[in-house]
Amino acid sequence: MQDQIRTVAVIGCGVIGASWTCLFLSRGLNVLIYDPAEGIRESFEEYLQVAWPALAASGSVEDVLAKNYKFIDNLESSLSEADFVQENGPERPEFKQALMETLDRYTRPGVVISSSSSGLPASGFVGRCQKDPSRILVGHPFNPPHLVPLVEVVPHPGTNTTTIRTAQEFYRSLGKKPILLRREVPGFVANRLQAAINSEAYSLISRGIVSAEDLDRAVTSGPGLRWALAGPFVMNSLGGGGGPNGFTQRIERLGPAIRGWEEDMLKHRFDWSEESVSVLKKEALKWLESLDWEGYNRKRDQMLVRLLELDSGTSSP
């Protein structure tokens, strides 16, 4: 069915929706954009102007493709044109429930409705859908979707297998690397991993162990470099001597020490108290207020393109 997807409806065109739209356009798709927010057209056009050079640098992308979008004012009357729906509304259960009810009612039978929900499982917002909630799932991208390949495909218990397969194949056709969650969990996988790292980072900073600047450097000059190559299981195996047995050897050799670190981490877990949050914000701003944010955005896009180019000739572990 992914071969029959020619027009995608992007519902909500904030940062995530705009990035999805840029990717869809670069792959030759027509895009219908719905977002009632004031000034959204101008905001998207600015985003497109910035994002398009990075997409063009990552492959043979014709500039004419960037024009294949239109903003729609009436969602109900336009949804019948869509072959796939990517929803990017606010992360509020009540809002998503009402929105999904509308999307389910007015899309054609069999059209996949995928939500960019960053942590709310689909079972939390499909309850009001009367037509066919089995074609709804979560397709959570890692930001920015137009450059980062990861997308988490998270079906709810009632999602049918055709929907799952169609979503996976469609995302692959865009150059994405979908992972399939076997069951729902709040926050999914990538954001839970991020949350775990962030929690320890917040603890270390709020306790005065390290500055925010040095903590960021510890990641970008240390494990972050390795994580761009492979995930924790492969890296654990390499750290244990390499090969399939490296993981077991590392667990046996370092397991007791790591368990001790984790016990200390749990003891000093960031508690989200008003005092801790106040200290965290103060320390973070010392670092963040010194940055050239426009330059960082450019650097991020350029580095992502270069990393993807380096990775294109190899298969991911």
Side-chain angles (χ1 to χ4, degrees), residues 201 204-206 208-218 283-284 286-287:
L204 291 170
I205 292 171
S206 64
I209 305 254
V210 67
S211 70
E213 179 178 2
D214 280 349
L215 190 140
D216 273 2
R217 186 172 293 115
E283 291 300 314
K286 290 179 183 178
W287 165 228

Side-chain angles (χ1 to χ4, degrees), residues 8-11 20 24 84-88 114-116 139 141 171:
V8 179
V10 170
I11 313 301
W20 269 125
F24 296 146
F84 191 95
V85 177
Q86 189 73 43
E87 177 269 327
N88 315 280
S114 183
S115 173
S116 295
Y171 288 134

